[in-house]
Amino acid sequence: MANAYTKRKLSSRYPVDLPAWKNLVKHHRVDMRDRKLHELFSYDKKRAGKFGLGSGDLFLDYSKNHLNNTTQKLLTQLATQADVPAAIEAMFAGDKINKTEGRSVLHVALRAKIADTVALETPGVPQVWEVLTKMESFVDAVHSGEIKGCTGEKLSDIVNIGIGGSDLGPVMASHALRPYWKEGMCFHSVSNVDGTQLDDLTKKLNPETTLFVVCSKTFTTLETMTNAKAARAWVIDRLDELAVQYHFVAASTNHEAMDEFGIRTDYRFGFWDWVGGRYSLWSAVGLSLALVIGMEAFKAMLSGGRRMDLHFRQAPMDENMPVLLALIGIWYNNFFDAQSQAILPYDNRLDRFPAYLQQLQMESSGKSVRMDGIPVRCDTGMVIWGEAGSNAQHSFMQLLHQGTRLVPVDFILSKTSASATAQCEAQAEALMDGTYEKGLQPYRVHAGNKPSNTIHFDKLTPDVLGQLIALYEHKVFVEGVIWGIDSFDQWGVELGKKLASP
Ligand code: F6P
């Protein structure tokens, strides 16, 4: 069913023409551009408590930003005027909101319960739970030893072969959930085309206990196919041709190509064209992760994603965490002209989270035409970068503290470690307050006034990780709706692929 968002004629509307955008331009110039963050705190003693929002296990502290009640009101109006509420419903209803590819966008169905009725009439959606059950039987059988390698050895080394969304998700989540790895199971990954990763890995692997999970939505991606064929040759060389049937499984939508590679039908795990690569961790692309952490933990991650989906779908715009995060991003991007944003997780297990978000945000928002092909009239995606704290403090944080550029930060803090918490809070405070001691040499002065969000939680569990990923997925979507771009295509990377293909 087409709603206000899907029926919208893009050509008649640019975000910069919306009344709220115009009011924000004025509000920025008159009230906020030269206002210091510490002034905002001294005007409003209750600020720290006021600009904070909880959802599930996550808490977003957005008090250290260049915003006040008026900013929040105008930003929320922007979301409403840009039809964000209708866009959210259009996504959950299965409308073809990925217009340039003519596809629905339904990664939310992968973590839904049947009772949530997420686009059940869309082909593939009713099969979501069948694939999950098939994954569960497979994972359990590998763990129990019922499914073995060709020589009867237990399979314990899981190697994910994929790239982009077919690599970053499983890799990021396997690092994040390291304490949940089943005893004896080990996760490895191969993505790059130069062959060195596989080369180094096979030196220490025993083919008899190794299971390769070839992850590729298309099953044609050059890097993945090159690595998968090299792994296949290694298995054949060390074992025999028949061993391929025991040591390779695949997650893909391309059955013909899986036939050709020799993946047996019961070792195939399907998904659908409405699952974008960078949104695919929740699908069979998560198989390598599930094999290492077990289905219970994998399902807890799905359940965390669903909790954020319910919040996103139900919460009003001004109490909606992904919407607020997106609006704050737009505020710095389009009104303060920030060109990049740093993601600094204070939990080393989230060391690959910045890389994961780089694909999610930059592949989704790196667009300069709108869905109807007309050039945008404002900047779109910022450059996303980052590193786990406190490593970041001892490398690039100097530029954030004393450089000339505005780099808004998202701190992601797991409160499990007291010293990480102290470090993270100290950085957010130093960025905001700086130092104003009298007589200080200019090179020692921290001007402060640098904004940040802090997203914190007590412990990084599978459920919390699911909430965190879904939070950023929806944030990216909201930004795209406001800019009028298609956040779910990636035509920009196709040319390079074509030029490199033999
Ligand atoms: O080239 C970019 C891209 O299409 C990503 O969007 C995707 O995650 C990655 O390549 C891998 O694609 P596939 O899963 O089809 O191998």
Side-chain angles (χ1 to χ4, degrees), residues 163-166 215-219 221 224 277-278 359 363 490 493-494 497:
I163 196 161
S166 298
C215 252
S216 177
K217 183 173 169 181
T218 54
F219 224 79
T221 305
T224 303
R278 51 196 176 275
Q359 187 200 13
E363 203 165 74
Q490 57 285 317
V493 291
E494 295 305 321
K497 281 190 195 172

Side-chain angles (χ1 to χ4, degrees), residues 277-454:
R278 51 196 176 275
Y279 301 88
S280 62
L281 175 63
W282 319 94
S283 71
V285 166
L287 181 65
S288 54
L289 173 70
L291 279 160
V292 175
I293 63 171
M295 267 327 262
E296 202 184 316
F298 186 77
K299 287 202 280 189
M301 187 183 81
L302 298 187
S303 151
R306 173 177 177 267
R307 288 171 73 189
M308 183 51 73
D309 294 341
L310 294 177
H311 166 80
F312 183 51
R313 214 174 165 182
Q314 288 161 4
M317 294 287 98
D318 56 350
E319 288 168 26
N320 193 310
M321 198 182 282
V323 172
L324 274 178
L325 213 52
L327 292 171
I328 294 168
I330 285 192
W331 182 227
Y332 291 120
N333 183 338
N334 296 118
F335 298 87
F336 283 81
D337 288 332
Q339 289 165 4
S340 78
Q341 191 199 14
I343 307 290
L344 305 179
Y346 274 72
D347 183 328
N348 200 62
R349 294 197 177 109
L350 284 172
D351 62 344
R352 295 299 286 159
F353 198 64
Y356 178 79
L357 288 190
Q358 267 175 338
Q359 187 200 13
L360 179 65
Q361 304 208 47
M362 292 166 78
E363 203 165 74
S364 301
S365 303
K367 315 281 162 69
S368 49
V369 296
R370 304 176 322 168
M371 269 191 269
D372 55 0
I374 294 176
V376 292
R377 274 174 39 201
C378 62
D379 276 317
T380 56
M382 286 196 269
V383 173
I384 302 295
W385 55 291
E387 165 72 75
S390 54
N391 287 346
Q393 289 167 220
H394 296 275
S395 67
F396 55 70
M397 287 293 282
Q398 165 65 31
L399 184 144
L400 271 62
H401 286 293
Q402 287 188 313
T404 54
R405 296 184 183 278
L406 170 67
V407 184
V409 175
D410 275 4
F411 289 104
I412 298 171
L413 171 63
S414 162
K415 290 199 146 183
T416 319
S417 151
S419 45
T421 305
Q423 292 276 7
C424 178
E425 288 173 354
Q427 289 300 312
E429 197 182 308
L431 284 170
M432 181 177 80
D433 289 340
T435 44
Y436 292 98
E437 283 167 49
K438 229 176 148 195
L440 208 60
Q441 296 97 325
Y443 49 83
R444 287 185 194 269
V445 170
H446 283 234
N449 207 32
K450 313 278 187 340
S452 65
N453 290 309
T454 301

Side-chain angles (χ1 to χ4, degrees), residues 68-93:
N68 60 14
N69 289 335
T70 308
T71 327
Q72 180 158 350
K73 197 174 93 207
L74 291 175
L75 285 170
T76 308
Q77 283 172 2
L78 177 66
T80 310
Q81 288 169 15
D83 289 332
V84 169
I88 296 172
E89 268 324 294
M91 175 167 73
F92 282 89

